[in-house]
mmCIF file of all heavy atoms in Angstrom:
data_model
loop_
_atom_site.group_PDB
_atom_site.id
_atom_site.type_symbol
_atom_site.label_atom_id
_atom_site.label_comp_id
_atom_site.label_asym_id
_atom_site.label_seq_id
_atom_site.Cartn_x
_atom_site.Cartn_y
_atom_site.Cartn_z
ATOM 1 N N ARG T 1 -149.508 -217.352 189.999
ATOM 2 C CA ARG T 1 -149.611 -216.859 191.312
ATOM 3 C C ARG T 1 -149.516 -218.001 192.363
ATOM 4 O O ARG T 1 -148.872 -217.895 193.338
ATOM 5 C CB ARG T 1 -150.966 -216.142 191.537
ATOM 6 C CG ARG T 1 -151.025 -215.534 192.928
ATOM 7 C CD ARG T 1 -152.447 -214.842 193.105
ATOM 8 N NE ARG T 1 -153.560 -215.753 193.004
ATOM 9 C CZ ARG T 1 -154.827 -215.368 193.247
ATOM 10 N NH1 ARG T 1 -155.090 -214.172 193.592
ATOM 11 N NH2 ARG T 1 -155.780 -216.245 193.167
ATOM 12 N N LYS T 2 -150.098 -219.152 191.941
ATOM 13 C CA LYS T 2 -150.034 -220.302 192.807
ATOM 14 C C LYS T 2 -148.607 -220.795 193.056
ATOM 15 O O LYS T 2 -148.110 -221.062 194.135
ATOM 16 C CB LYS T 2 -150.915 -221.424 192.277
ATOM 17 C CG LYS T 2 -150.880 -222.689 193.137
ATOM 18 C CD LYS T 2 -151.758 -223.793 192.505
ATOM 19 C CE LYS T 2 -151.708 -225.065 193.323
ATOM 20 N NZ LYS T 2 -152.562 -226.125 192.698
ATOM 21 N N ASP T 3 -147.906 -220.807 191.860
ATOM 22 C CA ASP T 3 -146.468 -221.219 191.897
ATOM 23 C C ASP T 3 -145.683 -220.216 192.665
ATOM 24 O O ASP T 3 -144.841 -220.561 193.463
ATOM 25 C CB ASP T 3 -145.915 -221.342 190.455
ATOM 26 C CG ASP T 3 -146.543 -222.451 189.651
ATOM 27 O OD1 ASP T 3 -147.112 -223.362 190.352
ATOM 28 O OD2 ASP T 3 -146.385 -222.483 188.430
ATOM 29 N N ALA T 4 -145.953 -218.894 192.505
ATOM 30 C CA ALA T 4 -145.233 -217.845 193.205
ATOM 31 C C ALA T 4 -145.486 -217.925 194.725
ATOM 32 O O ALA T 4 -144.534 -217.766 195.493
ATOM 33 C CB ALA T 4 -145.608 -216.453 192.699
ATOM 34 N N ARG T 5 -146.721 -218.274 195.090
ATOM 35 C CA ARG T 5 -146.991 -218.408 196.539
ATOM 36 C C ARG T 5 -146.193 -219.595 197.114
ATOM 37 O O ARG T 5 -145.738 -219.518 198.217
ATOM 38 C CB ARG T 5 -148.520 -218.696 196.651
ATOM 39 C CG ARG T 5 -149.329 -217.415 196.638
ATOM 40 C CD ARG T 5 -150.864 -217.718 196.844
ATOM 41 N NE ARG T 5 -151.650 -216.500 196.951
ATOM 42 C CZ ARG T 5 -152.923 -216.450 196.958
ATOM 43 N NH1 ARG T 5 -153.585 -217.610 196.775
ATOM 44 N NH2 ARG T 5 -153.574 -215.288 197.056
ATOM 45 N N VAL T 6 -146.141 -220.647 196.348
ATOM 46 C CA VAL T 6 -145.418 -221.847 196.815
ATOM 47 C C VAL T 6 -143.989 -221.497 197.054
ATOM 48 O O VAL T 6 -143.342 -221.813 198.103
ATOM 49 C CB VAL T 6 -145.583 -223.046 195.858
ATOM 50 C CG1 VAL T 6 -144.613 -224.176 196.217
ATOM 51 C CG2 VAL T 6 -147.009 -223.532 195.804
ATOM 52 N N GLU T 7 -143.395 -220.777 196.038
ATOM 53 C CA GLU T 7 -141.979 -220.389 196.126
ATOM 54 C C GLU T 7 -141.790 -219.475 197.253
ATOM 55 O O GLU T 7 -140.719 -219.511 197.971
ATOM 56 C CB GLU T 7 -141.501 -219.798 194.830
ATOM 57 C CG GLU T 7 -141.487 -220.816 193.638
ATOM 58 C CD GLU T 7 -140.524 -221.915 193.981
ATOM 59 O OE1 GLU T 7 -139.358 -221.775 194.499
ATOM 60 O OE2 GLU T 7 -140.882 -223.124 193.732
ATOM 61 N N ALA T 8 -142.692 -218.465 197.417
ATOM 62 C CA ALA T 8 -142.555 -217.451 198.517
ATOM 63 C C ALA T 8 -142.712 -218.157 199.852
ATOM 64 O O ALA T 8 -141.878 -217.801 200.838
ATOM 65 C CB ALA T 8 -143.676 -216.455 198.362
ATOM 66 N N GLU T 9 -143.573 -219.105 199.942
ATOM 67 C CA GLU T 9 -143.716 -219.880 201.268
ATOM 68 C C GLU T 9 -142.473 -220.690 201.546
ATOM 69 O O GLU T 9 -142.011 -220.796 202.705
ATOM 70 C CB GLU T 9 -144.960 -220.793 201.252
ATOM 71 C CG GLU T 9 -145.224 -221.517 202.512
ATOM 72 C CD GLU T 9 -145.427 -220.543 203.672
ATOM 73 O OE1 GLU T 9 -145.860 -219.374 203.492
ATOM 74 O OE2 GLU T 9 -145.190 -220.953 204.874
ATOM 75 N N LYS T 10 -141.881 -221.302 200.476
ATOM 76 C CA LYS T 10 -140.684 -222.068 200.728
ATOM 77 C C LYS T 10 -139.545 -221.145 201.207
ATOM 78 O O LYS T 10 -138.819 -221.450 202.179
ATOM 79 C CB LYS T 10 -140.234 -222.710 199.395
ATOM 80 C CG LYS T 10 -141.065 -223.917 199.010
ATOM 81 C CD LYS T 10 -140.475 -224.522 197.692
ATOM 82 C CE LYS T 10 -141.347 -225.769 197.214
ATOM 83 N NZ LYS T 10 -140.804 -226.260 195.943
ATOM 84 N N ALA T 11 -139.374 -220.001 200.529
ATOM 85 C CA ALA T 11 -138.315 -219.051 200.887
ATOM 86 C C ALA T 11 -138.638 -218.517 202.300
ATOM 87 O O ALA T 11 -137.732 -218.295 203.108
ATOM 88 C CB ALA T 11 -138.307 -217.894 199.888
ATOM 89 N N ARG T 12 -139.897 -218.232 202.605
ATOM 90 C CA ARG T 12 -140.233 -217.752 203.926
ATOM 91 C C ARG T 12 -139.868 -218.783 205.076
ATOM 92 O O ARG T 12 -139.338 -218.379 206.062
ATOM 93 C CB ARG T 12 -141.765 -217.459 204.013
ATOM 94 C CG ARG T 12 -142.230 -216.909 205.321
ATOM 95 C CD ARG T 12 -143.690 -216.501 205.186
ATOM 96 N NE ARG T 12 -144.309 -216.054 206.438
ATOM 97 C CZ ARG T 12 -144.735 -216.757 207.424
ATOM 98 N NH1 ARG T 12 -144.800 -218.069 207.252
ATOM 99 N NH2 ARG T 12 -145.195 -216.236 208.479
ATOM 100 N N GLN T 13 -140.238 -220.075 204.784
ATOM 101 C CA GLN T 13 -139.924 -221.017 205.806
ATOM 102 C C GLN T 13 -138.392 -221.166 205.957
ATOM 103 O O GLN T 13 -137.860 -221.367 207.071
ATOM 104 C CB GLN T 13 -140.531 -222.436 205.384
ATOM 105 C CG GLN T 13 -142.004 -222.453 205.442
ATOM 106 C CD GLN T 13 -142.603 -222.167 206.783
ATOM 107 O OE1 GLN T 13 -141.983 -222.520 207.793
ATOM 108 N NE2 GLN T 13 -143.709 -221.438 206.795
ATOM 109 N N ALA T 14 -137.646 -221.056 204.852
ATOM 110 C CA ALA T 14 -136.204 -221.173 204.932
ATOM 111 C C ALA T 14 -135.655 -219.978 205.752
ATOM 112 O O ALA T 14 -134.736 -220.103 206.586
ATOM 113 C CB ALA T 14 -135.562 -221.126 203.616
ATOM 114 N N ASP T 15 -136.230 -218.768 205.505
ATOM 115 C CA ASP T 15 -135.761 -217.590 206.206
ATOM 116 C C ASP T 15 -136.120 -217.762 207.744
ATOM 117 O O ASP T 15 -135.339 -217.375 208.567
ATOM 118 C CB ASP T 15 -136.474 -216.356 205.707
ATOM 119 C CG ASP T 15 -135.690 -215.767 204.447
ATOM 120 O OD1 ASP T 15 -134.911 -216.574 203.901
ATOM 121 O OD2 ASP T 15 -135.936 -214.635 204.063
ATOM 122 N N LEU T 16 -137.318 -218.182 208.025
ATOM 123 C CA LEU T 16 -137.704 -218.375 209.444
ATOM 124 C C LEU T 16 -136.795 -219.357 210.105
ATOM 125 O O LEU T 16 -136.422 -219.155 211.304
ATOM 126 C CB LEU T 16 -139.167 -218.908 209.485
ATOM 127 C CG LEU T 16 -140.181 -217.882 209.168
ATOM 128 C CD1 LEU T 16 -141.611 -218.503 209.128
ATOM 129 C CD2 LEU T 16 -140.227 -216.730 210.188
ATOM 130 N N ALA T 17 -136.357 -220.400 209.436
ATOM 131 C CA ALA T 17 -135.401 -221.354 210.003
ATOM 132 C C ALA T 17 -134.093 -220.651 210.310
ATOM 133 O O ALA T 17 -133.526 -220.895 211.410
ATOM 134 C CB ALA T 17 -135.214 -222.562 209.109
ATOM 135 N N THR T 18 -133.645 -219.795 209.360
ATOM 136 C CA THR T 18 -132.436 -219.052 209.580
ATOM 137 C C THR T 18 -132.481 -218.147 210.716
ATOM 138 O O THR T 18 -131.627 -217.986 211.572
ATOM 139 C CB THR T 18 -132.055 -218.276 208.272
ATOM 140 O OG1 THR T 18 -131.829 -219.212 207.250
ATOM 141 C CG2 THR T 18 -130.801 -217.493 208.449
ATOM 142 N N LEU T 19 -133.627 -217.434 210.822
ATOM 143 C CA LEU T 19 -133.847 -216.467 211.931
ATOM 144 C C LEU T 19 -133.953 -217.162 213.245
ATOM 145 O O LEU T 19 -133.422 -216.655 214.264
ATOM 146 C CB LEU T 19 -135.180 -215.624 211.683
ATOM 147 C CG LEU T 19 -135.116 -214.641 210.556
ATOM 148 C CD1 LEU T 19 -136.535 -214.049 210.340
ATOM 149 C CD2 LEU T 19 -134.070 -213.572 210.843
ATOM 150 N N GLN T 20 -134.531 -218.352 213.292
ATOM 151 C CA GLN T 20 -134.583 -219.127 214.551
ATOM 152 C C GLN T 20 -133.150 -219.545 214.953
ATOM 153 O O GLN T 20 -132.785 -219.587 216.099
ATOM 154 C CB GLN T 20 -135.437 -220.347 214.340
ATOM 155 C CG GLN T 20 -136.950 -219.976 214.262
ATOM 156 C CD GLN T 20 -137.801 -221.211 213.947
ATOM 157 O OE1 GLN T 20 -137.248 -222.294 213.656
ATOM 158 N NE2 GLN T 20 -139.138 -220.972 213.910
ATOM 159 N N SER T 21 -132.338 -219.862 213.929
ATOM 160 C CA SER T 21 -130.920 -220.263 214.256
ATOM 161 C C SER T 21 -130.184 -219.065 214.834
ATOM 162 O O SER T 21 -129.142 -219.243 215.587
ATOM 163 C CB SER T 21 -130.242 -220.803 212.989
ATOM 164 O OG SER T 21 -129.998 -219.737 212.107
ATOM 165 N N LEU T 22 -130.643 -217.828 214.468
ATOM 166 C CA LEU T 22 -129.893 -216.633 215.036
ATOM 167 C C LEU T 22 -130.076 -216.544 216.573
ATOM 168 O O LEU T 22 -129.167 -216.044 217.244
ATOM 169 C CB LEU T 22 -130.437 -215.348 214.412
ATOM 170 C CG LEU T 22 -130.186 -215.157 212.936
ATOM 171 C CD1 LEU T 22 -130.735 -213.832 212.412
ATOM 172 C CD2 LEU T 22 -128.681 -215.219 212.637
ATOM 173 N N GLU T 23 -131.178 -217.054 217.043
ATOM 174 C CA GLU T 23 -131.378 -217.029 218.541
ATOM 175 C C GLU T 23 -130.308 -217.940 219.206
ATOM 176 O O GLU T 23 -129.685 -217.486 220.198
ATOM 177 C CB GLU T 23 -132.741 -217.594 218.882
ATOM 178 C CG GLU T 23 -133.911 -216.731 218.409
ATOM 179 C CD GLU T 23 -135.259 -217.292 218.710
ATOM 180 O OE1 GLU T 23 -135.219 -218.328 219.400
ATOM 181 O OE2 GLU T 23 -136.221 -216.684 218.205
ATOM 182 N N PHE T 24 -129.955 -219.043 218.639
ATOM 183 C CA PHE T 24 -128.848 -219.862 219.163
ATOM 184 C C PHE T 24 -127.557 -219.186 219.043
ATOM 185 O O PHE T 24 -126.694 -219.210 219.927
ATOM 186 C CB PHE T 24 -128.866 -221.205 218.489
ATOM 187 C CG PHE T 24 -130.123 -222.053 218.725
ATOM 188 C CD1 PHE T 24 -131.092 -222.110 217.677
ATOM 189 C CD2 PHE T 24 -130.356 -222.710 219.887
ATOM 190 C CE1 PHE T 24 -132.260 -222.827 217.805
ATOM 191 C CE2 PHE T 24 -131.495 -223.463 219.999
ATOM 192 C CZ PHE T 24 -132.483 -223.511 219.018
ATOM 193 N N GLU T 25 -127.389 -218.454 217.959
ATOM 194 C CA GLU T 25 -126.172 -217.727 217.660
ATOM 195 C C GLU T 25 -126.013 -216.627 218.693
ATOM 196 O O GLU T 25 -124.855 -216.404 219.263
ATOM 197 C CB GLU T 25 -126.159 -217.082 216.250
ATOM 198 C CG GLU T 25 -124.958 -216.359 215.837
ATOM 199 C CD GLU T 25 -123.802 -217.329 215.613
ATOM 200 O OE1 GLU T 25 -123.930 -218.548 215.559
ATOM 201 O OE2 GLU T 25 -122.647 -216.800 215.398
ATOM 202 N N ARG T 26 -127.088 -215.884 218.987
ATOM 203 C CA ARG T 26 -127.046 -214.850 220.047
ATOM 204 C C ARG T 26 -126.729 -215.418 221.375
ATOM 205 O O ARG T 26 -125.947 -214.868 222.097
ATOM 206 C CB ARG T 26 -128.346 -214.006 220.034
ATOM 207 C CG ARG T 26 -128.569 -213.231 218.803
ATOM 208 C CD ARG T 26 -129.989 -212.704 218.775
ATOM 209 N NE ARG T 26 -130.241 -211.966 217.517
ATOM 210 C CZ ARG T 26 -131.461 -211.817 216.988
ATOM 211 N NH1 ARG T 26 -132.487 -212.322 217.621
ATOM 212 N NH2 ARG T 26 -131.546 -211.130 215.836
ATOM 213 N N ASP T 27 -127.322 -216.504 221.721
ATOM 214 C CA ASP T 27 -127.152 -217.174 222.997
ATOM 215 C C ASP T 27 -125.654 -217.576 223.081
ATOM 216 O O ASP T 27 -125.053 -217.498 224.228
ATOM 217 C CB ASP T 27 -128.047 -218.348 223.217
ATOM 218 C CG ASP T 27 -129.482 -217.961 223.335
ATOM 219 O OD1 ASP T 27 -129.743 -216.739 223.613
ATOM 220 O OD2 ASP T 27 -130.414 -218.844 223.146
#
């Protein structure tokens, strides 16, 4: 579970970075 949490958090941070980049794309 600890490893899964770490992987999920890594993926979540990567997704958030992608979503933030969408704001620049929309602009």
